[in-house]
Amino acid sequence: AIALYCMAMPHLFGLVQQAYVALAGDLPAASGELVALRVALGALVLLVPTVAMGATLPLLAQVRGASGADHRLGQRVAWLYFANTGGAALGALLAAYWVIPSLGARRTTLMAAALNLLVALAAVQLFKREAEGTASEAGAANTRDAPGAAVSPAPDATPGLRTARRLALLTLTATGVLSLGLEVVYTHQLSVVAGNSAYAFGLMLATFLVGLSVGGEAGRRLLLRGLDGTGLLAALVLGLAAALALVAPAWNAIPSYFGGYAGYPDVGSFRAREAIRGLVCSLVMVPPALFIGGAYVVAMELVTRGAGRDGARWLGYGAALNTLGNISGVLLFGFVLLPRLGGQAAGALIAVAALALALLLVAATRPVPRRVALAAVPVALLALAATRVQADLQALSTGANVYFMPQPWGRVIDHAESVDGGLTLVARGEQDERVRTLLTNGKFQGNNAESGEMQAQIGFALAPLLHQDARGRALVIGYGTGVTSRVLHEAGFAQLDVAELSADIVRLADRHFGDVNRQVSRAPGVNLQLTDGRNLLLLQRQPYDLVSIEITSIWFAGAASLYNRD
C-alpha cells in the first residue's frame, strides 16, 4: 500500500493543490481559515501511508516471535526500533545530500516506491514461512487438546506488572510530548546557530534519529543484563533531564566555535562546512536522543511483559500513545510555548518536565532505587541552573555560522524570536552609529547605509521599472528593511502587495528603518500579507504588472529555489 501510494503521490499533490485553490476562494493568504484548510488537506493526503507505516511495527513484532510463551517482546522490539530509526537517519542524509540533488524529487519518490515493493516481496516470503509455522503449530495444538491433554492458560499480568505497565504507558506518552517538543525547539535553535537550509534540516533529523537508534540498542543491552523495571526507566528519564540541562549553556558558545574556523582555508568548501555543521548537530542532538531511545525500548518491554498473545496489541497501544504525545508536543511547543518563551527557555522547560517525570517514576517504584534517588539531587540543580541561562544576543548576531567568521555588525539594540522568523536582530554600527543592520539568524538582510546595501535594495525596484510602464498592481516578496517596497509604492502603483513570512521582520524594520522605508507597510494602497510568496501567487486570480523579490543572497543553499518561473 505504501509503494502504490508513493507512485500516486505526485498526482495526488497536483489534485490537492487544485482542491486548495478551488476551496480557498478569495480568502486572504494569511487568514486562519487557510491554515486550517492546509492542515486538513495535508492530513488527508498523508493519512493512508502514515497509517500503513504505523501498523508495521506491531505486525513485525508479532512475526518476530510474539508467541504465548514469549514474554520478552520489548527486547525483540528493540532490534526493530534500532533498524528502523537507523534506516531513517540514513534516509534523511541520503535524501538531502545525494538522492534528491541527483534524481530530483519525482524520481526520488518513484525510487522510494520501488524500494517499498522490494520490501513487500520480502514480506510475502515471510508470510509463507509464517503460514508453514502456523500449520505445524495447529497440528501440535490438536494433539495437546486431545482428551486428557492439559491446556496451558495464557499468562496473566500480576498486580506489579500491571502497575509497571501503567507507568510505562504514562512514560511513553510524556516522552512522546517531550521528544518531539525537543526536536521542534532544538531545530529552531540550530537554525539560529547552524543554518536553516534543507541540508541543515537533514543533518538535524539524521543526528536525532542516530541518537534514538543507538539509545534503543543500549536500552536492549541493559535489559539483557537484568537492569529492568521502572527504576531503569526513571534513571533513563533522569539522564534525559541531565543531558538537556548540560546542553543549555552550549548554545551561546556555538557561534564562536564556527568563528574559530576563520583562519582555515579548507573550510571554504561545501563539504567541509557541512561536516562542521554535522558535528555541531551531533553534539547537541545525540545526547538527549540516546536517553529518549533507551526509555522507549525499556517502556515497551514493561508494556508488553506478561501480555502473552496480547503482546502485539499492547505494543500497538504504547506506540499509539507515544505518537499522540509526539503530535501534542509539536503543537504545544511549536505554536504555544516556543513563540511565548523563546528557544532557550523552552529547552529548559523540557529539562524540568523530564526531571518531574523521573521523580514521579522514582516515587512510584518499590523498592525505591537509592542510586537514582540520590542522582536526582544534582540533576535538579542542573535543571534549575538551565532555567537561568539567557541567550547571548551579541554572540548570536555575529553570523559566524553563516560566514564561518564573525561579522562586525555592531551592538544589538533590538531583537524578536518566533517559529516563522527565527531570531531577528537589529544591530547598530560601532564606528558609525547611524548605520543599522537587520539580521535573521545572524545573516545580513539589509541596512540603512545610502552608499552601501541600500543601492541594491533600491535597484531591485528600479531595474524592473525600466521595462514596465504599467502602474496597476505590483508584488514584493520579502519585506526586508522595506526600502524596495517603498520605492515601488512611490513609483505610483495603484496597489502594492507585500508578502513576508515573518511578522518580526516587519515590526523591527518599521521600528528601526522608518527613516528609509517611510512606514510603507501602513501606507494607503499597500497590502501587507504575512505569508510566503508562492502561496500568495497561487491564490491570485488577477495578474501583477510587476513582481520583485528582496532576497538578494542567491548563493545561500536553499535560496536558489526562490528564483524560478513559479
Side-chain angles (χ1 to χ4, degrees):
I2 297 169
L4 293 173
Y5 205 86
C6 280
M7 287 187 283
M9 190 72 80
H11 306 287
L12 288 173
F13 280 149
L15 292 174
V16 167
Q17 186 179 81
Q18 293 176 19
Y20 173 64
V21 173
L23 294 172
D26 295 321
L27 290 172
S31 66
E33 292 88 344
L34 278 186
V35 175
L37 180 60
R38 289 179 206 139
V39 171
L41 290 174
L44 182 65
V45 78
L46 292 175
L47 191 62
V48 172
T50 51
V51 167
M53 292 171 188
T56 56
L57 180 62
L59 295 177
L60 279 169
Q62 188 78 0
V63 172
R64 292 276 302 187
S67 61
D70 181 12
H71 314 321
R72 310 294 285 187
L73 182 59
Q75 293 184 23
R76 297 179 180 273
V77 169
W79 277 108
L80 297 172
Y81 185 72
F82 174 76
N84 184 254
T85 50
L90 182 62
L93 289 175
L94 290 178
Y97 286 98
W98 180 59
V99 183
I100 292 178
S102 300
L103 303 180
R106 186 181 182 87
R107 290 180 180 176
T108 299
T109 305
L110 294 177
M111 188 179 78
L115 291 172
N116 273 287
L117 286 173
L118 290 176
V119 175
L121 290 174
V124 168
Q125 297 300 318
L126 198 59
F127 167 73
K128 292 178 180 178
R129 195 177 302 172
E130 279 286 296
E132 295 172 358
T134 303
S136 61
E137 286 180 8
N142 290 334
T143 303
R144 289 196 305 269
D145 294 342
V151 179
S152 300
D156 187 23
T158 64
L161 285 179
R162 285 195 293 270
T163 300
R165 180 178 294 162
R166 293 191 191 100
L167 291 172
L169 289 173
L170 171 65
T171 303
L172 285 169
T173 306
T175 54
V177 175
L178 298 181
S179 62
L180 261 290
L182 174 68
E183 189 167 354
V184 167
V185 172
Y186 273 23
T187 300
H188 166 79
Q189 292 281 84
L190 283 169
S191 70
V192 174
V193 299
N196 55 1
S197 68
Y199 304 114
F201 180 75
L203 286 173
M204 298 170 200
L205 182 60
T207 51
F208 190 74
L209 290 168
V210 165
L212 293 179
S213 180
V214 176
E217 172 61 12
R220 186 187 72 85
R221 291 178 179 270
L222 291 173
L223 289 171
L224 289 176
R225 293 185 177 183
L227 300 174
D228 55 0
T230 53
L232 176 58
L233 197 57
L236 290 169
V237 177
L238 195 64
L240 171 62
L244 293 170
L246 290 171
V247 167
W251 296 109
N252 292 328
I254 291 176
S256 62
Y257 176 75
F258 280 109
Y261 285 95
Y264 293 85
D266 293 339
V267 178
S269 70
F270 173 75
R271 291 182 180 180
R273 292 191 173 195
E274 290 305 298
I276 295 169
R277 288 194 173 99
L279 175 62
V280 170
C281 291
S282 298
L283 292 174
V284 171
M285 285 289 204
V286 170
L290 288 172
F291 292 102
I292 294 172
Y296 181 88
V297 166
V298 173
M300 281 298 191
E301 165 66 18
L302 294 174
V303 166
T304 57
R305 184 175 298 176
R309 295 182 182 275
D310 287 335
R313 180 166 62 90
W314 280 107
L315 175 66
Y317 289 153
L321 288 173
N322 185 256
T323 306
L324 287 173
N326 292 157
I327 297 169
S328 302
V330 170
L331 295 175
L332 178 63
F333 282 89
F335 293 94
V336 180
L337 296 178
L338 182 57
R340 294 186 180 182
L341 302 178
Q344 194 79 46
L349 178 62
I350 297 174
V352 173
L355 173 66
L357 177 61
L359 294 177
L360 176 63
L361 292 172
V362 170
T365 303
R366 294 292 181 272
V368 175
R370 188 166 179 269
R371 291 183 179 179
V372 178
L374 291 175
V377 177
V379 174
L381 294 175
L382 283 173
L384 180 62
T387 62
R388 303 178 68 85
V389 177
Q390 301 292 325
D392 186 347
L393 298 177
Q394 202 61 44
L396 297 174
S397 72
T398 61
N401 63 297
V402 180
Y403 308 97
F404 277 74
M405 63 175 62
Q407 302 296 311
W409 305 125
R411 182 173 56 86
V412 175
I413 59 174
D414 204 352
H415 77 285
E417 187 176 3
S418 65
V419 176
D420 294 330
L423 183 62
T424 306
L425 301 160
V426 176
R428 176 177 292 159
E430 296 286 357
Q431 296 180 349
D432 187 352
E433 293 190 352
R434 294 173 299 176
V435 175
R436 295 180 299 278
T437 304
L438 181 68
L439 306 164
T440 301
N441 300 332
K443 179 186 173 296
F444 179 90
Q445 295 294 339
N447 63 24
N448 64 340
E450 295 183 359
S451 60
E453 183 64 21
M454 274 188 62
Q455 294 184 26
Q457 297 164 25
I458 294 171
F460 264 79
L462 294 182
L465 287 177
L466 295 173
H467 308 279
Q468 174 62 286
D469 295 328
R471 293 294 184 268
R473 302 175 75 234
L475 169 66
V476 177
I477 300 175
Y479 190 65
T481 60
V483 173
T484 301
S485 299
R486 185 212 86 199
V487 174
L488 287 176
H489 175 61
E490 293 176 348
F493 282 91
Q495 178 182 337
L496 175 65
D497 291 345
V498 180
E500 172 56 55
L501 273 174
S502 171
D504 296 339
I505 286 182
V506 177
R507 187 168 62 255
L508 293 185
D510 285 351
R511 183 183 302 166
H512 297 281
F513 297 87
D515 56 332
V516 292
N517 66 32
R518 297 170 192 169
Q519 308 291 326
V520 65
S521 64
R522 307 171 195 171
V526 176
N527 181 26
L528 174 68
Q529 300 205 45
L530 297 175
T531 186
D532 63 282
R534 266 203 198 96
N535 186 62
L536 188 144
L537 285 169
L538 188 64
L539 299 178
Q540 292 300 306
R541 298 183 178 179
Q542 292 181 325
Y544 287 102
D545 298 311
L546 183 150
V547 177
S548 181
I549 182 168
E550 200 192 68
I551 301 178
T552 58
S553 302
I554 194 173
W555 57 276
F556 278 93
S561 64
L562 298 171
Y563 294 85
N564 56 36
R565 190 175 184 85
D566 291 340

